[in-house]
Amino acid sequence: GSEGTAELKGIIRVKNPSDPKAPAKVFPFHSEYKSAKPAVVVAPTKMNVFYRGLENPVAVSVPGVAAEDLVVGMIGGSIVKKSNGEYIVKVKSGNKCTVTVSAKTSDGTIRSMGPGIEFRIKPVPNPVAEVYGRRGSAFVKQGELQFIKSVVAKLDDFVFDVNFPVVSFEVSMNVNGIMVHIPTKGSSLSSEQKNLIKKAKRGNIVYIEKINAQKPDGQIEIGPVILEVIP
């Protein structure tokens, strides 16, 4: 009913068939065995990927070997045991790494379970900037400008739930024939930036650019949001 090492012990009593009245001979026994869950391993060989800067969860199993007897190592990164059969992998650099698996035998030696499994190392994909629900080049009503408060960076349909804090950005707009650029730190519009976009009228274009976002593996500049003001 459970995985791991189990104890098996008891007593075998044997009667003498030629002397039914004689006391039975007693043979005590004591042993142990290891049980492992039935393992089905499906390996997508074209998708063996670890992402830089993230905690990549990995399940490791070998049919017929208890999870507690596995010895898992890594070349090109670090791997930490979370629970029996569950591990966390971290990678920082390089393009490839290898996970190695061995097992403890009954006599205490370590036996390799075969060649290591190779994984590709990839950076986390770049997020996309979003301002008041708009991305890329979009229209915004003049009355909506007052509701623009911040810039966010989002990555849709990624396998991990990752936050991408916006570190800095710049708001630019043509005012009376002069291009005005106002930078700020963080993700929220500064008071100067808010005052600038309040001057926007029909036909004006508000450029929110030089957006720097923090990824798990480093900082990167992402694409701008360009808003054309309409009535």
Side-chain angles (χ1 to χ4, degrees):
S2 63
E3 187 178 9
T5 302
E7 191 178 54
L8 181 66
K9 62 181 180 179
I11 296 175
I12 298 174
R13 301 179 187 273
V14 181
K15 291 186 176 181
N16 187 345
S18 61
D19 187 2
K21 295 182 179 180
K25 292 186 177 181
V26 177
F27 300 91
F29 64 90
H30 186 193
S31 184
E32 64 179 28
Y33 64 91
K34 296 182 184 294
S35 62
K37 293 180 181 178
V40 176
V41 180
V42 179
T45 56
K46 296 294 184 182
M47 297 175 63
N48 284 359
V49 175
F50 292 140
Y51 290 97
R52 295 190 191 106
L54 297 182
E55 292 189 347
N56 300 271
V58 180
V60 181
S61 64
V62 176
V65 180
E68 65 187 39
D69 289 335
L70 294 180
V71 180
V72 183
M74 189 167 183
I75 302 169
S78 64
I79 187 165
V80 178
K81 186 175 182 179
K82 188 176 179 182
S83 61
N84 276 345
E86 301 290 334
Y87 299 81
I88 295 295
V89 166
K90 292 183 180 180
V91 290
K92 293 183 179 180
S93 60
N95 297 315
K96 293 181 180 180
C97 61
T98 303
V99 175
T100 61
V101 181
S102 301
K104 297 177 184 177
T105 62
S106 57
D107 60 2
T109 60
I110 305 296
R111 182 166 62 93
S112 172
M113 292 290 101
I117 302 171
E118 188 176 85
F119 286 79
R120 291 176 293 157
I121 298 175
K122 297 183 68 175
V124 174
N126 293 339
V128 177
E130 183 175 293
V131 177
Y132 195 60
R134 270 75 164 182
R135 299 182 179 186
S137 297
F139 295 104
V140 63
K141 293 183 179 180
Q142 187 173 5
E144 293 176 320
L145 293 173
Q146 61 180 316
F147 300 115
I148 296 178
K149 306 293 184 184
S150 62
V151 181
V152 296
K154 294 183 177 181
L155 180 59
D156 298 329
D157 301 322
F158 187 49
V159 292
F160 290 88
D161 184 14
V162 184
N163 292 321
F164 301 91
V166 172
V167 178
S168 62
F169 65 96
E170 181 178 283
V171 175
S172 304
M173 192 178 74
N174 191 310
V175 180
N176 299 324
I178 300 175
M179 202 67 183
V180 179
H181 305 272
I182 302 178
T184 192
K185 299 290 186 181
S187 61
S188 299
L189 270 71
S190 66
S191 57
E192 292 85 358
Q193 290 174 332
K194 291 178 182 178
N195 290 333
L196 177 63
I197 65 175
K198 284 180 182 178
K199 299 176 182 177
K201 299 178 181 179
R202 177 183 179 181
N204 280 135
I205 297 178
V206 179
Y207 298 90
I208 301 172
E209 52 194 352
K210 296 182 180 178
I211 304 168
N212 289 292
Q214 182 66 48
K215 292 175 55 180
D217 55 344
Q219 195 176 123
I220 190 170
E221 182 176 327
I222 57 179
V225 178
I226 303 172
L227 303 175
E228 183 176 345
V229 182
I230 60 175

